[in-house]
Amino acid sequence: MILRPTHALWLAGLVGFALLPQFIEVKYYLHLSILALIWVIAAQGQNLIQGYTGYVSIVQAGFIGIGAYSTALMGIHFDLPVWLTILLAPLVTAAFAVGVGYPSLRVKGHYFAIVTLAFNLVIFIVLMNFTELTEGEAGITGIPKPGSPDGWLNWRDRETYYYFVLIVAALMTGLAALIVRSRIGQILVAIRQNEDLVGAIGISAWKYKLFAFVTSAMFAGLAGAIYAHYQSFINPEIFGVAQSLDAILAVIIGGSGTIAGPVIGAFFVVFLPEYLRFADSFRLIIYGLVLVLATIFMPRGIVGVATSVADWLRRRRA
């Protein structure tokens, strides 16, 4: 089998991520890397509905919250094993996504974004005020770490959790690539380009949009479950609209409608605010300005710029 250049780049990237902990001396940066990999999972889901289907969803953080709270509550109230709750969390999130997507996908464009924004607010308000179940603003503490049968893995060690999240992020990125390259992915791209034409040739665009939306939510639910067990604490503040906008920006900055884009964008939205802490009073202003300029001058994202440069170099060689 011939190894294509893109496959070689992905393999090199995976090797680089695998070796990364060996070069990180400050453990805080390893913590940020784990958070970025969790965001890779959520951003890949966001990319399915936003980048490939063309529908901007502002409820991804709400779905992350559902995944996080469902895994925590199933473990606390039903005493289920951690690995089982992590597997069940995306299914619980999918059930909520069907309820959200059924009315939301009846509208298009800005109306869809507004409806999903409203649902994110509803999820946030419920998590904040349903204190009997979610503990409200105080949050849920003592969420257990995953465990191995014989205890040979130390899950309190950040390096162990890093490799676990890296494997899951790589698998979910691979799953996203398989979906995109399948017939379903081709139809999703066709919906983004001309939804009316898709309907005119007898394809039920609504069903495929619902598939993309629910699958996107399952990615988010899995990310939320992994996040909950990593932090051992969750509260509603990290599942608001601002975090949904971060998911959208991760796709835009990295490269909408590309597989590599969400990976790059996820690290961007996690690390950039940290590096702007030197200007704490103006950090959010600088962060917003950088994102606006990047959106204006890099409409295809970082991946699009890299592709353009590679094409230019190829033409120069020719």
Side-chain angles (χ1 to χ4, degrees), residues 136-160:
E137 192 173 1
I140 299 176
T141 59
I143 302 172
K145 300 282 187 184
S148 52
D150 52 4
W152 65 280
L153 286 176
N154 179 17
W155 287 95
R156 296 190 178 277
D157 180 23
R158 283 180 176 171
E159 191 170 319
T160 300

Side-chain angles (χ1 to χ4, degrees), residues 48-219:
L48 285 176
I49 186 68
Q50 176 183 330
Y52 287 100
T53 314
Y55 278 70
V56 179
S57 170
I58 316 180
V59 71
Q60 195 74 341
F63 290 145
I64 295 174
I66 291 174
Y69 273 89
S70 61
T71 190
L73 293 173
M74 283 188 290
I76 292 171
H77 293 289
F78 300 103
D79 198 27
L80 296 177
V82 171
W83 293 112
L84 181 59
T85 62
I86 291 176
L87 293 175
L88 290 177
L91 301 180
V92 174
T93 311
F96 279 92
V98 171
V100 173
Y102 188 84
S104 302
L105 291 167
R106 299 293 180 179
V107 295
K108 302 178 182 179
H110 301 303
Y111 298 104
F112 172 80
I114 293 171
V115 172
T116 54
L117 170 64
F119 275 113
N120 201 145
L121 292 172
V122 169
I123 293 171
F124 178 80
I125 292 170
V126 170
L127 293 178
M128 186 68 76
N129 293 287
F130 195 9
T131 55
E132 294 82 0
L133 185 65
T134 66
E135 302 296 334
E137 192 173 1
I140 299 176
T141 59
I143 302 172
K145 300 282 187 184
S148 52
D150 52 4
W152 65 280
L153 286 176
N154 179 17
W155 287 95
R156 296 190 178 277
D157 180 23
R158 283 180 176 171
E159 191 170 319
T160 300
Y161 216 95
Y162 172 87
Y163 285 113
F164 164 62
V165 181
L166 175 61
I167 291 171
V168 176
L171 291 175
M172 300 311 291
T173 298
L175 177 59
L178 288 176
I179 293 173
V180 168
R181 286 165 173 74
S182 68
R183 180 177 179 273
I184 294 175
Q186 295 173 355
I187 294 175
L188 294 181
V189 173
I191 291 172
R192 182 189 67 192
Q193 294 175 344
N194 193 329
E195 184 174 341
D196 293 332
L197 179 59
V198 171
I201 61 176
I203 296 175
S204 178
W206 183 83
K207 292 181 180 178
Y208 286 92
K209 290 189 297 182
L210 184 62
F211 168 84
F213 187 73
V214 173
T215 305
S216 171
M218 293 181 71
F219 276 64

